[in-house]
């Protein structure tokens, strides 16, 4: 039967998100969701939209949402593109700005969807190794290429580059698009949005899934100069002229407008992160400095990452582990509520004590 599949389909190794088991209640710290609920204003807007209006198609140009996003970032509506989760926006960016003729660069340890998109769209790519400290080395991205993409902060390593370093990558080759995936930027990293007006080759993509606690709603957006936004719009309109459904449009817009709520929640997550990182550091973990809503940490000698992962799972705590060279001993632990992280710390202490 596989003969009936195209060569591309056979070659693809689809992205596998963190597990979502249904067998019992877990403390779920494996997919970087926000532990707090979305803005009450977003929930109210969704309820209000779930009436008569559902009979009608949504606005294909998502103008209400795009206007709110533009206002929040001090940009014009023509500099904003809204999509169904940032995964969709990323897919459209790969199709609009990268192609088979030139090689795309991204880190060897990064968001694993990038290589999947390259396979799907036939884009050649080179995975650039992170340095010894598992950081992106700017110098490796200065030679001309077919484009560059990386998350800032990077995932799953949580470490961020400074804006000044990213500017060097943008300036090194003005003829290629540099996509900065700012999925986690609100948890303490420096955003590139203030540089959009000066850099025609800069596209920033972000999501409402993490800082706005709306992973279930599926809202993402891109910011860049009008010519880049037009590129994304052309690709989108070629296969689906509607970006988000009416409920998502309403909820996303209200969440963006409730900036004070988002700020408060992200600060709470960041404060918990600092306490948690210090506590596991004190138990002997190697913890990379995090600017995201997760930490990337390796257990002390005597317990492997795999053993710690399994022992936590047995205790009802789900974290993420990647079986990839150099990081297979690390765990990516999403920051949950204070109480959840206290439970994780108690579980870790118990596991370490049993192995001592
Ligand atoms: N970029 C990065 C770096 C991510 O980690 C994620 C979440 N898995 C996404 C993009 C996609 O987020 P979403 O599709 O929920 O907007």
């Amino acid at each position: 039967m596989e003969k009936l599949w195209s060569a591309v389909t056979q070659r693809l190794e689809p992205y596998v998100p963190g597990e979502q088991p249904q067998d019992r209640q877990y403390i779920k710290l494996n997919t970087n969701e926000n532990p707090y609920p979305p803005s009450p204003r977003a929930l109210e807007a969704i309820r209000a939209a779930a009436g008569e209006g559902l009979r009608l198609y949504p606005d294909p140009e998502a103008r209400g949402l795009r206007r709110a996003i533009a206002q929040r970032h001090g940009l014009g509506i023509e500099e904003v593109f809204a999509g169904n989760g940032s995964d969709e926006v990323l897919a459209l960016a790969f199709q609009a700005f990268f192609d088979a003729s030139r090689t795309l660069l991204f880190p060897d340890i990064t968001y694993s969807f990038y290589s999947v998109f390259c396979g799907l769209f036939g884009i050649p790519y080179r995975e650039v190794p992170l340095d010894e400290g598992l950081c992106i080395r700017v110098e490796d991205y200065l030679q001309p290429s077919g484009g560059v993409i990386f998350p800032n902060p990077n995932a799953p390593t949580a470490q961020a580059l400074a804006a000044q370093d990213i500017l060097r990558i943008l300036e090194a080759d003005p003829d290629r698009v540099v996509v900065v995936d700012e999925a986690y930027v609100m948890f303490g990293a420096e955003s590139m949005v203030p540089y959009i007006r000066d850099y025609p080759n800069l596209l920033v993509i972000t999501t409402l899934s993490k800082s706005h606690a709306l992973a279930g709603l599926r809202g993402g957006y891109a910011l860049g100069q009008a010519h880049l936004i037009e590129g994304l719009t052309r690709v989108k309109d070629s296969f689906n002229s509607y970006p988000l459904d009416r409920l998502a449009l309403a909820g996303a817009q209200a969440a963006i407008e409730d900036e004070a709520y988002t700020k408060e929640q992200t600060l709470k997550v960041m404060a918990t992160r600092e306490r948690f990182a210090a506590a596991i550091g004190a138990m002997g973990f190697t913890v990379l400095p995090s600017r995201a809503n997760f930490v990337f940490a390796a257990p002390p000698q005597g317990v492997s990452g795999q053993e710690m992962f399994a022992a936590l799972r047995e205790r009802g705590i789900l974290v993420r582990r990647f079986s990839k060279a150099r990081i297979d001993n690390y765990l990516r632990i999403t920051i949950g509520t204070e109480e959840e992280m206290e439970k994780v710390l108690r579980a870790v202490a118990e596991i370490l004590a049993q192995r001592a």
Side-chain angles (χ1 to χ4, degrees), residues 136-181:
I136 291 175
R137 223 172 66 101
V138 171
E139 288 70 25
D140 295 336
Y141 295 85
L142 301 182
Q143 75 277 32
S145 71
V148 176
I149 182 165
F150 56 87
N152 196 48
N154 194 11
T157 57
Q159 307 197 87
L161 286 176
Q164 288 305 316
D165 288 328
I166 298 175
L167 292 182
R168 289 174 63 203
I169 299 175
L170 282 155
E171 284 164 10
D173 179 3
D175 293 329
R176 67 180 178 193
V177 173
V178 175
V179 177
V180 184
D181 178 349

mmCIF file of all heavy atoms in Angstrom, residues 136-181:
data_model
loop_
_atom_site.group_PDB
_atom_site.id
_atom_site.type_symbol
_atom_site.label_atom_id
_atom_site.label_comp_id
_atom_site.label_asym_id
_atom_site.label_seq_id
_atom_site.Cartn_x
_atom_site.Cartn_y
_atom_site.Cartn_z
ATOM 1 N N ILE A 136 23.389 29.175 21.211
ATOM 2 C CA ILE A 136 23.544 29.476 19.782
ATOM 3 C C ILE A 136 24.789 30.355 19.634
ATOM 4 O O ILE A 136 24.956 31.332 20.370
ATOM 5 C CB ILE A 136 22.293 30.212 19.265
ATOM 6 C CG1 ILE A 136 21.097 29.257 19.252
ATOM 7 C CG2 ILE A 136 22.550 30.823 17.890
ATOM 8 C CD1 ILE A 136 19.769 29.892 18.884
ATOM 9 N N ARG A 137 25.689 29.973 18.678
ATOM 10 C CA ARG A 137 26.896 30.780 18.443
ATOM 11 C C ARG A 137 26.648 31.655 17.230
ATOM 12 O O ARG A 137 26.555 31.166 16.101
ATOM 13 C CB ARG A 137 28.070 29.824 18.195
ATOM 14 C CG ARG A 137 29.359 30.223 18.902
ATOM 15 C CD ARG A 137 30.381 29.114 18.754
ATOM 16 N NE ARG A 137 30.728 29.004 17.339
ATOM 17 C CZ ARG A 137 31.843 29.512 16.812
ATOM 18 N NH1 ARG A 137 32.712 30.127 17.576
ATOM 19 N NH2 ARG A 137 32.087 29.372 15.525
ATOM 20 N N VAL A 138 26.537 32.951 17.449
ATOM 21 C CA VAL A 138 26.147 33.895 16.402
ATOM 22 C C VAL A 138 27.070 33.803 15.187
ATOM 23 O O VAL A 138 26.619 33.854 14.038
ATOM 24 C CB VAL A 138 26.162 35.326 16.991
ATOM 25 C CG1 VAL A 138 25.989 36.358 15.916
ATOM 26 C CG2 VAL A 138 25.061 35.449 18.021
ATOM 27 N N GLU A 139 28.380 33.636 15.440
ATOM 28 C CA GLU A 139 29.367 33.611 14.340
ATOM 29 C C GLU A 139 29.038 32.551 13.303
ATOM 30 O O GLU A 139 29.392 32.693 12.138
ATOM 31 C CB GLU A 139 30.784 33.346 14.884
ATOM 32 C CG GLU A 139 31.399 34.504 15.649
ATOM 33 C CD GLU A 139 30.728 34.758 16.994
ATOM 34 O OE1 GLU A 139 30.140 33.796 17.561
ATOM 35 O OE2 GLU A 139 30.768 35.911 17.467
ATOM 36 N N ASP A 140 28.374 31.492 13.699
ATOM 37 C CA ASP A 140 28.078 30.402 12.761
ATOM 38 C C ASP A 140 26.959 30.748 11.780
ATOM 39 O O ASP A 140 26.659 29.972 10.871
ATOM 40 C CB ASP A 140 27.660 29.142 13.539
ATOM 41 C CG ASP A 140 28.795 28.605 14.391
ATOM 42 O OD1 ASP A 140 29.964 28.884 14.045
ATOM 43 O OD2 ASP A 140 28.517 27.939 15.393
ATOM 44 N N TYR A 141 26.314 31.894 11.989
ATOM 45 C CA TYR A 141 25.166 32.253 11.138
ATOM 46 C C TYR A 141 25.464 33.477 10.274
ATOM 47 O O TYR A 141 24.559 34.064 9.701
ATOM 48 C CB TYR A 141 23.938 32.532 12.012
ATOM 49 C CG TYR A 141 23.474 31.291 12.756
ATOM 50 C CD1 TYR A 141 24.046 30.931 13.968
ATOM 51 C CD2 TYR A 141 22.496 30.456 12.213
ATOM 52 C CE1 TYR A 141 23.648 29.787 14.642
ATOM 53 C CE2 TYR A 141 22.086 29.315 12.880
ATOM 54 C CZ TYR A 141 22.671 28.988 14.094
ATOM 55 O OH TYR A 141 22.269 27.849 14.748
ATOM 56 N N LEU A 142 26.761 33.863 10.190
ATOM 57 C CA LEU A 142 27.064 35.110 9.490
ATOM 58 C C LEU A 142 27.338 34.910 8.002
ATOM 59 O O LEU A 142 27.280 35.862 7.227
ATOM 60 C CB LEU A 142 28.240 35.830 10.169
ATOM 61 C CG LEU A 142 27.992 36.185 11.661
ATOM 62 C CD1 LEU A 142 29.182 36.944 12.238
ATOM 63 C CD2 LEU A 142 26.721 36.999 11.839
ATOM 64 N N GLN A 143 27.625 33.669 7.583
ATOM 65 C CA GLN A 143 27.836 33.456 6.150
ATOM 66 C C GLN A 143 26.478 33.469 5.447
ATOM 67 O O GLN A 143 25.467 33.076 6.045
ATOM 68 C CB GLN A 143 28.614 32.155 5.865
ATOM 69 C CG GLN A 143 27.839 30.854 6.016
ATOM 70 C CD GLN A 143 27.765 30.334 7.450
ATOM 71 O OE1 GLN A 143 27.737 31.093 8.414
ATOM 72 N NE2 GLN A 143 27.703 29.022 7.582
ATOM 73 N N PRO A 144 26.447 33.945 4.163
ATOM 74 C CA PRO A 144 25.155 33.984 3.463
ATOM 75 C C PRO A 144 24.507 32.599 3.403
ATOM 76 O O PRO A 144 25.194 31.587 3.364
ATOM 77 C CB PRO A 144 25.537 34.451 2.049
ATOM 78 C CG PRO A 144 26.851 35.125 2.203
ATOM 79 C CD PRO A 144 27.558 34.442 3.332
ATOM 80 N N SER A 145 23.182 32.574 3.442
ATOM 81 C CA SER A 145 22.458 31.298 3.359
ATOM 82 C C SER A 145 21.064 31.566 2.809
ATOM 83 O O SER A 145 20.700 32.712 2.559
ATOM 84 C CB SER A 145 22.360 30.646 4.753
ATOM 85 O OG SER A 145 21.463 31.370 5.562
ATOM 86 N N GLY A 146 20.296 30.503 2.655
ATOM 87 C CA GLY A 146 18.933 30.656 2.145
ATOM 88 C C GLY A 146 17.953 31.177 3.177
ATOM 89 O O GLY A 146 16.788 31.412 2.883
ATOM 90 N N GLY A 147 18.427 31.375 4.410
ATOM 91 C CA GLY A 147 17.571 31.867 5.480
ATOM 92 C C GLY A 147 18.074 31.343 6.806
ATOM 93 O O GLY A 147 18.980 30.483 6.847
ATOM 94 N N VAL A 148 17.526 31.881 7.875
ATOM 95 C CA VAL A 148 17.886 31.437 9.228
ATOM 96 C C VAL A 148 16.595 31.394 10.033
ATOM 97 O O VAL A 148 15.729 32.261 9.869
ATOM 98 C CB VAL A 148 18.863 32.433 9.911
ATOM 99 C CG1 VAL A 148 19.148 32.009 11.355
ATOM 100 C CG2 VAL A 148 20.163 32.574 9.124
ATOM 101 N N ILE A 149 16.472 30.380 10.881
ATOM 102 C CA ILE A 149 15.352 30.356 11.831
ATOM 103 C C ILE A 149 15.839 29.781 13.157
ATOM 104 O O ILE A 149 16.632 28.831 13.179
ATOM 105 C CB ILE A 149 14.139 29.562 11.288
ATOM 106 C CG1 ILE A 149 12.993 29.628 12.308
ATOM 107 C CG2 ILE A 149 14.477 28.114 10.951
ATOM 108 C CD1 ILE A 149 11.647 29.195 11.745
ATOM 109 N N PHE A 150 15.418 30.393 14.241
ATOM 110 C CA PHE A 150 15.697 29.849 15.579
ATOM 111 C C PHE A 150 14.696 30.444 16.551
ATOM 112 O O PHE A 150 14.172 31.535 16.322
ATOM 113 C CB PHE A 150 17.140 30.148 16.032
ATOM 114 C CG PHE A 150 17.482 31.606 16.011
ATOM 115 C CD1 PHE A 150 17.223 32.418 17.107
ATOM 116 C CD2 PHE A 150 18.055 32.176 14.880
ATOM 117 C CE1 PHE A 150 17.524 33.769 17.075
ATOM 118 C CE2 PHE A 150 18.358 33.534 14.841
ATOM 119 C CZ PHE A 150 18.089 34.329 15.936
ATOM 120 N N PRO A 151 14.422 29.723 17.639
ATOM 121 C CA PRO A 151 13.587 30.307 18.678
ATOM 122 C C PRO A 151 14.465 31.157 19.605
ATOM 123 O O PRO A 151 15.610 30.813 19.860
ATOM 124 C CB PRO A 151 13.043 29.100 19.447
ATOM 125 C CG PRO A 151 13.526 27.886 18.709
ATOM 126 C CD PRO A 151 14.713 28.303 17.928
ATOM 127 N N ASN A 152 13.929 32.240 20.108
ATOM 128 C CA ASN A 152 14.630 33.027 21.116
ATOM 129 C C ASN A 152 13.647 33.383 22.220
ATOM 130 O O ASN A 152 12.738 34.169 21.978
ATOM 131 C CB ASN A 152 15.233 34.297 20.513
ATOM 132 C CG ASN A 152 16.263 34.890 21.455
ATOM 133 O OD1 ASN A 152 17.131 34.192 21.962
ATOM 134 N ND2 ASN A 152 16.150 36.177 21.722
ATOM 135 N N PRO A 153 13.828 32.786 23.435
ATOM 136 C CA PRO A 153 14.807 31.781 23.828
ATOM 137 C C PRO A 153 14.667 30.484 23.014
ATOM 138 O O PRO A 153 13.585 30.165 22.543
ATOM 139 C CB PRO A 153 14.474 31.517 25.295
ATOM 140 C CG PRO A 153 13.281 32.309 25.638
ATOM 141 C CD PRO A 153 12.887 33.123 24.498
ATOM 142 N N ASN A 154 15.810 29.772 22.925
ATOM 143 C CA ASN A 154 15.799 28.512 22.183
ATOM 144 C C ASN A 154 15.014 27.454 22.976
ATOM 145 O O ASN A 154 14.897 27.535 24.195
ATOM 146 C CB ASN A 154 17.239 28.046 21.948
ATOM 147 C CG ASN A 154 17.345 26.942 20.907
ATOM 148 O OD1 ASN A 154 16.379 26.646 20.195
ATOM 149 N ND2 ASN A 154 18.509 26.327 20.819
ATOM 150 N N ALA A 155 14.456 26.511 22.266
ATOM 151 C CA ALA A 155 13.767 25.377 22.891
ATOM 152 C C ALA A 155 14.436 24.097 22.384
ATOM 153 O O ALA A 155 14.703 24.009 21.187
ATOM 154 C CB ALA A 155 12.290 25.378 22.493
ATOM 155 N N PRO A 156 14.744 23.134 23.231
ATOM 156 C CA PRO A 156 14.359 23.048 24.648
ATOM 157 C C PRO A 156 15.401 23.593 25.627
ATOM 158 O O PRO A 156 15.265 23.357 26.825
ATOM 159 C CB PRO A 156 14.230 21.535 24.838
ATOM 160 C CG PRO A 156 15.318 20.965 23.977
ATOM 161 C CD PRO A 156 15.392 21.886 22.780
ATOM 162 N N THR A 157 16.409 24.324 25.160
ATOM 163 C CA THR A 157 17.509 24.678 26.067
ATOM 164 C C THR A 157 17.186 25.884 26.951
ATOM 165 O O THR A 157 17.879 26.124 27.936
ATOM 166 C CB THR A 157 18.787 24.975 25.270
ATOM 167 O OG1 THR A 157 18.474 26.026 24.343
ATOM 168 C CG2 THR A 157 19.269 23.760 24.515
ATOM 169 N N ALA A 158 16.191 26.690 26.581
ATOM 170 C CA ALA A 158 15.685 27.820 27.388
ATOM 171 C C ALA A 158 16.585 29.053 27.380
ATOM 172 O O ALA A 158 16.241 30.072 27.961
ATOM 173 C CB ALA A 158 15.402 27.402 28.837
ATOM 174 N N GLN A 159 17.757 28.960 26.743
ATOM 175 C CA GLN A 159 18.706 30.081 26.784
ATOM 176 C C GLN A 159 18.406 31.080 25.661
ATOM 177 O O GLN A 159 17.998 30.699 24.576
ATOM 178 C CB GLN A 159 20.128 29.557 26.654
ATOM 179 C CG GLN A 159 20.430 28.466 27.667
ATOM 180 C CD GLN A 159 21.906 28.214 27.833
ATOM 181 O OE1 GLN A 159 22.565 28.855 28.628
ATOM 182 N NE2 GLN A 159 22.425 27.267 27.067
ATOM 183 N N ALA A 160 18.653 32.359 25.953
ATOM 184 C CA ALA A 160 18.296 33.398 24.989
ATOM 185 C C ALA A 160 19.521 34.146 24.480
ATOM 186 O O ALA A 160 20.532 34.255 25.162
ATOM 187 C CB ALA A 160 17.331 34.385 25.636
ATOM 188 N N LEU A 161 19.399 34.675 23.270
ATOM 189 C CA LEU A 161 20.398 35.584 22.711
ATOM 190 C C LEU A 161 19.952 37.014 22.994
ATOM 191 O O LEU A 161 18.760 37.294 23.091
ATOM 192 C CB LEU A 161 20.483 35.421 21.193
ATOM 193 C CG LEU A 161 21.166 34.185 20.625
ATOM 194 C CD1 LEU A 161 21.038 34.194 19.105
ATOM 195 C CD2 LEU A 161 22.640 34.135 21.033
ATOM 196 N N ALA A 162 20.924 37.935 23.052
ATOM 197 C CA ALA A 162 20.593 39.357 23.190
ATOM 198 C C ALA A 162 20.225 39.907 21.812
ATOM 199 O O ALA A 162 20.710 39.412 20.781
ATOM 200 C CB ALA A 162 21.786 40.109 23.746
ATOM 201 N N ALA A 163 19.389 40.939 21.782
ATOM 202 C CA ALA A 163 18.970 41.531 20.511
ATOM 203 C C ALA A 163 20.173 41.971 19.677
ATOM 204 O O ALA A 163 20.201 41.781 18.459
ATOM 205 C CB ALA A 163 18.045 42.715 20.779
ATOM 206 N N GLN A 164 21.188 42.519 20.332
ATOM 207 C CA GLN A 164 22.364 43.003 19.594
ATOM 208 C C GLN A 164 23.030 41.864 18.803
ATOM 209 O O GLN A 164 23.550 42.086 17.710
ATOM 210 C CB GLN A 164 23.387 43.623 20.549
ATOM 211 C CG GLN A 164 22.952 44.968 21.113
ATOM 212 C CD GLN A 164 22.596 45.988 20.014
ATOM 213 O OE1 GLN A 164 23.309 46.108 19.014
ATOM 214 N NE2 GLN A 164 21.478 46.676 20.176
ATOM 215 N N ASP A 165 23.019 40.665 19.332
ATOM 216 C CA ASP A 165 23.608 39.513 18.631
ATOM 217 C C ASP A 165 22.752 39.110 17.439
ATOM 218 O O ASP A 165 23.271 38.757 16.376
ATOM 219 C CB ASP A 165 23.751 38.328 19.591
ATOM 220 C CG ASP A 165 24.859 38.556 20.596
ATOM 221 O OD1 ASP A 165 25.849 39.230 20.227
ATOM 222 O OD2 ASP A 165 24.737 38.095 21.738
ATOM 223 N N ILE A 166 21.454 39.169 17.604
ATOM 224 C CA ILE A 166 20.560 38.793 16.508
ATOM 225 C C ILE A 166 20.680 39.818 15.372
ATOM 226 O O ILE A 166 20.625 39.461 14.187
ATOM 227 C CB ILE A 166 19.110 38.646 17.027
ATOM 228 C CG1 ILE A 166 19.073 37.531 18.077
ATOM 229 C CG2 ILE A 166 18.136 38.367 15.883
ATOM 230 C CD1 ILE A 166 17.741 37.337 18.760
ATOM 231 N N LEU A 167 20.912 41.083 15.721
ATOM 232 C CA LEU A 167 21.092 42.111 14.690
ATOM 233 C C LEU A 167 22.291 41.770 13.797
ATOM 234 O O LEU A 167 22.270 42.005 12.594
ATOM 235 C CB LEU A 167 21.297 43.493 15.329
ATOM 236 C CG LEU A 167 20.071 44.068 16.040
ATOM 237 C CD1 LEU A 167 20.373 45.457 16.592
ATOM 238 C CD2 LEU A 167 18.855 44.132 15.109
ATOM 239 N N ARG A 168 23.320 41.178 14.379
ATOM 240 C CA ARG A 168 24.492 40.805 13.560
ATOM 241 C C ARG A 168 24.097 39.768 12.515
ATOM 242 O O ARG A 168 24.567 39.802 11.375
ATOM 243 C CB ARG A 168 25.605 40.239 14.449
ATOM 244 C CG ARG A 168 26.270 41.311 15.309
ATOM 245 C CD ARG A 168 27.251 40.690 16.279
ATOM 246 N NE ARG A 168 28.358 40.008 15.616
ATOM 247 C CZ ARG A 168 29.084 39.031 16.171
ATOM 248 N NH1 ARG A 168 28.797 38.610 17.401
ATOM 249 N NH2 ARG A 168 30.062 38.471 15.511
ATOM 250 N N ILE A 169 23.216 38.848 12.886
ATOM 251 C CA ILE A 169 22.762 37.819 11.932
ATOM 252 C C ILE A 169 21.922 38.475 10.834
ATOM 253 O O ILE A 169 22.056 38.159 9.651
ATOM 254 C CB ILE A 169 21.962 36.717 12.670
ATOM 255 C CG1 ILE A 169 22.846 36.031 13.712
ATOM 256 C CG2 ILE A 169 21.369 35.714 11.690
ATOM 257 C CD1 ILE A 169 22.134 34.995 14.584
ATOM 258 N N LEU A 170 21.084 39.429 11.227
ATOM 259 C CA LEU A 170 20.234 40.113 10.244
ATOM 260 C C LEU A 170 21.085 40.923 9.265
ATOM 261 O O LEU A 170 20.819 40.962 8.060
ATOM 262 C CB LEU A 170 19.260 41.056 10.969
ATOM 263 C CG LEU A 170 18.073 40.364 11.610
ATOM 264 C CD1 LEU A 170 17.530 41.180 12.766
ATOM 265 C CD2 LEU A 170 16.989 40.117 10.565
ATOM 266 N N GLU A 171 22.128 41.569 9.797
ATOM 267 C CA GLU A 171 22.941 42.457 8.968
ATOM 268 C C GLU A 171 23.913 41.694 8.074
ATOM 269 O O GLU A 171 24.324 42.197 7.022
ATOM 270 C CB GLU A 171 23.714 43.447 9.861
ATOM 271 C CG GLU A 171 22.795 44.540 10.390
ATOM 272 C CD GLU A 171 23.376 45.308 11.566
ATOM 273 O OE1 GLU A 171 24.573 45.139 11.877
ATOM 274 O OE2 GLU A 171 22.606 46.076 12.184
ATOM 275 N N ALA A 172 24.276 40.471 8.465
ATOM 276 C CA ALA A 172 25.283 39.710 7.724
ATOM 277 C C ALA A 172 24.827 39.408 6.290
ATOM 278 O O ALA A 172 25.654 39.305 5.378
ATOM 279 C CB ALA A 172 25.592 38.413 8.454
ATOM 280 N N ASP A 173 23.537 39.247 6.078
ATOM 281 C CA ASP A 173 23.021 38.932 4.744
ATOM 282 C C ASP A 173 21.603 39.481 4.621
ATOM 283 O O ASP A 173 20.636 38.795 4.952
ATOM 284 C CB ASP A 173 23.042 37.402 4.526
ATOM 285 C CG ASP A 173 22.500 37.006 3.161
ATOM 286 O OD1 ASP A 173 22.164 37.908 2.357
ATOM 287 O OD2 ASP A 173 22.412 35.785 2.894
ATOM 288 N N PRO A 174 21.480 40.720 4.133
ATOM 289 C CA PRO A 174 20.153 41.353 4.075
ATOM 290 C C PRO A 174 19.224 40.701 3.040
ATOM 291 O O PRO A 174 18.030 40.992 3.015
ATOM 292 C CB PRO A 174 20.447 42.803 3.657
ATOM 293 C CG PRO A 174 21.927 42.954 3.667
ATOM 294 C CD PRO A 174 22.549 41.606 3.660
ATOM 295 N N ASP A 175 19.784 39.788 2.200
ATOM 296 C CA ASP A 175 18.958 39.161 1.154
ATOM 297 C C ASP A 175 18.273 37.880 1.612
ATOM 298 O O ASP A 175 17.668 37.179 0.810
ATOM 299 C CB ASP A 175 19.824 38.847 -0.069
ATOM 300 C CG ASP A 175 20.304 40.123 -0.717
ATOM 301 O OD1 ASP A 175 19.571 41.132 -0.635
ATOM 302 O OD2 ASP A 175 21.423 40.127 -1.274
ATOM 303 N N ARG A 176 18.404 37.537 2.857
ATOM 304 C CA ARG A 176 17.716 36.328 3.331
ATOM 305 C C ARG A 176 16.786 36.709 4.483
ATOM 306 O O ARG A 176 17.042 37.667 5.222
ATOM 307 C CB ARG A 176 18.735 35.273 3.812
ATOM 308 C CG ARG A 176 19.451 35.750 5.050
ATOM 309 C CD ARG A 176 20.474 34.755 5.579
ATOM 310 N NE ARG A 176 21.128 35.349 6.738
ATOM 311 C CZ ARG A 176 22.232 34.881 7.308
ATOM 312 N NH1 ARG A 176 22.821 33.810 6.817
ATOM 313 N NH2 ARG A 176 22.742 35.467 8.362
ATOM 314 N N VAL A 177 15.734 35.929 4.635
ATOM 315 C CA VAL A 177 14.805 36.190 5.740
ATOM 316 C C VAL A 177 15.319 35.482 7.001
ATOM 317 O O VAL A 177 15.744 34.322 6.949
ATOM 318 C CB VAL A 177 13.376 35.696 5.384
ATOM 319 C CG1 VAL A 177 12.442 35.808 6.590
ATOM 320 C CG2 VAL A 177 12.822 36.496 4.202
ATOM 321 N N VAL A 178 15.308 36.209 8.108
ATOM 322 C CA VAL A 178 15.660 35.640 9.406
ATOM 323 C C VAL A 178 14.367 35.584 10.224
ATOM 324 O O VAL A 178 13.750 36.617 10.488
ATOM 325 C CB VAL A 178 16.723 36.494 10.123
ATOM 326 C CG1 VAL A 178 16.994 35.943 11.530
ATOM 327 C CG2 VAL A 178 18.009 36.560 9.294
ATOM 328 N N VAL A 179 13.957 34.369 10.573
ATOM 329 C CA VAL A 179 12.741 34.204 11.374
ATOM 330 C C VAL A 179 13.143 33.984 12.830
ATOM 331 O O VAL A 179 13.892 33.052 13.140
ATOM 332 C CB VAL A 179 11.898 32.995 10.891
ATOM 333 C CG1 VAL A 179 10.675 32.808 11.785
ATOM 334 C CG2 VAL A 179 11.479 33.169 9.434
ATOM 335 N N VAL A 180 12.678 34.852 13.714
ATOM 336 C CA VAL A 180 12.923 34.674 15.147
ATOM 337 C C VAL A 180 11.607 34.209 15.766
ATOM 338 O O VAL A 180 10.603 34.915 15.734
ATOM 339 C CB VAL A 180 13.429 35.977 15.801
ATOM 340 C CG1 VAL A 180 13.758 35.724 17.272
ATOM 341 C CG2 VAL A 180 14.655 36.511 15.060
ATOM 342 N N ASP A 181 11.634 32.988 16.290
ATOM 343 C CA ASP A 181 10.442 32.352 16.860
ATOM 344 C C ASP A 181 10.394 32.726 18.345
ATOM 345 O O ASP A 181 11.131 32.175 19.155
ATOM 346 C CB ASP A 181 10.582 30.835 16.643
ATOM 347 C CG ASP A 181 9.434 30.026 17.216
ATOM 348 O OD1 ASP A 181 8.609 30.576 17.975
ATOM 349 O OD2 ASP A 181 9.380 28.818 16.903
#
